[in-house]
Amino acid sequence: MPATILVVEDEPSIQELIAASLQHAGHRTLRADTAEDAVRLVNETLPDVVLLDWMLPGMSGIQYARRLRGDERTRDLPIIMLTARSEEHDKVSGLEAGADDYLTKPFSPRELQARIKAVLRRRAPQMTEDCVDVEGLRIDPVTHRVTGNGKPIDLGPTEFRLLHFFMTHIERVHTRAQLLDQVWGDHIFVEERTVDVHIRRLRASLEATGHDRLIQTVRGTGYRFSAQSE
């Protein structure tokens, strides 16, 4: 699925090459020449992945990675470190700073795409195109189809995104605020009770096949998608 990817790279030609490759693959790109520029962009729009050059003017990529990991809002943001450094201790330093992966320059667009897909699968599975099946409830993000025990289920776009997020994060409890950030999008300001309205609609759509039971209310906290009884 298309992702919003922040490219933090101070070399114009490399930045342009990476951005063109990502856009060709259908992704949206944000660009920053420095970590300070990246801070401003992330404050405005939370990306799905950060491609972060190690050597940057001012704040280094390592320092910025630590900053992202230290902020609750960006703690789980996938980070791929880009660098010409290929020594083992450099890779270890990058990973210890919070990077999810480490790509040594020069690299091919194909390898970059594969690494992005891999970190999204680990960190943000709702951004991938993989089909998910739980207890006979199946969702296909490519065809935008949902079936329950083989029977088609009609969902609105918000309910579809909500179900996809739940099904890619089973057994986890999510607050309404977390669901708003992950499903509606960061910096989209709507009432938290909006989540309850869409949960009711989603449950109603799943009721015919009995899958509404998978969406559980956790009193005082939020919601959980689980195949286990409450």
Side-chain angles (χ1 to χ4, degrees), residues 42-54:
V42 170
N43 283 338
E44 294 172 356
T45 304
L46 189 65
D48 299 307
V49 182
V50 176
L51 303 182
L52 181 58
D53 186 33
W54 180 305

Side-chain angles (χ1 to χ4, degrees), residues 15 58 60 62 79 84 105 111 119 140 226:
Q15 185 190 98
S60 71
I62 290 287
I79 301 171
K105 300 175 183 178
E111 182 180 10
V119 298
D140 184 342
S226 174

Side-chain angles (χ1 to χ4, degrees), residues 160-216:
F160 184 92
R161 293 195 304 272
L162 185 58
L163 180 62
H164 191 212
F165 180 77
F166 274 138
M167 292 182 69
T168 51
H169 296 83
I170 61 173
E171 302 299 339
R172 301 184 194 178
V173 178
H174 305 281
T175 66
R176 292 175 178 84
Q178 289 170 335
L179 290 171
L180 283 173
D181 282 347
Q182 295 294 331
V183 178
W184 276 257
D186 189 65
H187 282 71
I188 301 297
F189 299 104
V190 295
E191 292 289 333
E192 288 191 2
R193 290 298 173 181
T194 301
V195 174
D196 299 335
V197 173
H198 288 278
I199 290 286
R200 285 198 296 271
R201 291 177 183 172
L202 179 56
R203 281 174 168 159
S205 297
L206 300 178
E207 190 174 0
T209 59
H211 290 102
D212 55 310
R213 63 181 172 80
L214 299 175
I215 301 174
Q216 302 172 359

Side-chain angles (χ1 to χ4, degrees), residues 37-144:
D37 288 341
V39 170
R40 176 181 53 80
L41 286 172
V42 170
N43 283 338
E44 294 172 356
T45 304
L46 189 65
D48 299 307
V49 182
V50 176
L51 303 182
L52 181 58
D53 186 33
W54 180 305
M55 299 296 293
L56 292 169
M59 187 192 310
S60 71
I62 290 287
Q63 291 172 316
Y64 184 47
R66 291 196 180 104
R67 177 168 176 167
L68 289 171
R69 288 291 175 254
D71 187 328
E72 183 177 358
R73 179 168 169 264
T74 56
R75 184 173 298 156
D76 297 323
L77 189 59
I79 301 171
I80 299 177
M81 192 73 74
L82 309 177
T83 178
R85 298 169 179 258
S86 58
E87 296 297 324
E88 181 179 358
H89 69 272
D90 291 322
K91 294 181 180 180
V92 170
S93 296
L95 295 172
E96 287 182 343
D100 294 281
D101 204 350
Y102 190 106
L103 200 51
T104 304
K105 300 175 183 178
F107 49 82
S108 70
R110 186 174 179 181
E111 182 180 10
L112 177 60
Q113 293 294 339
R115 299 294 186 94
I116 290 171
K117 187 173 182 179
V119 298
L120 283 174
R121 186 176 288 113
R122 294 196 303 270
R123 284 274 189 172
Q126 75 275 14
M127 293 301 302
T128 67
E129 297 181 338
D130 300 335
C131 290
V132 186
D133 193 316
V134 180
E135 296 282 305
L137 181 63
R138 180 179 176 83
I139 188 166
D140 184 342
V142 176
T143 63
H144 225 262

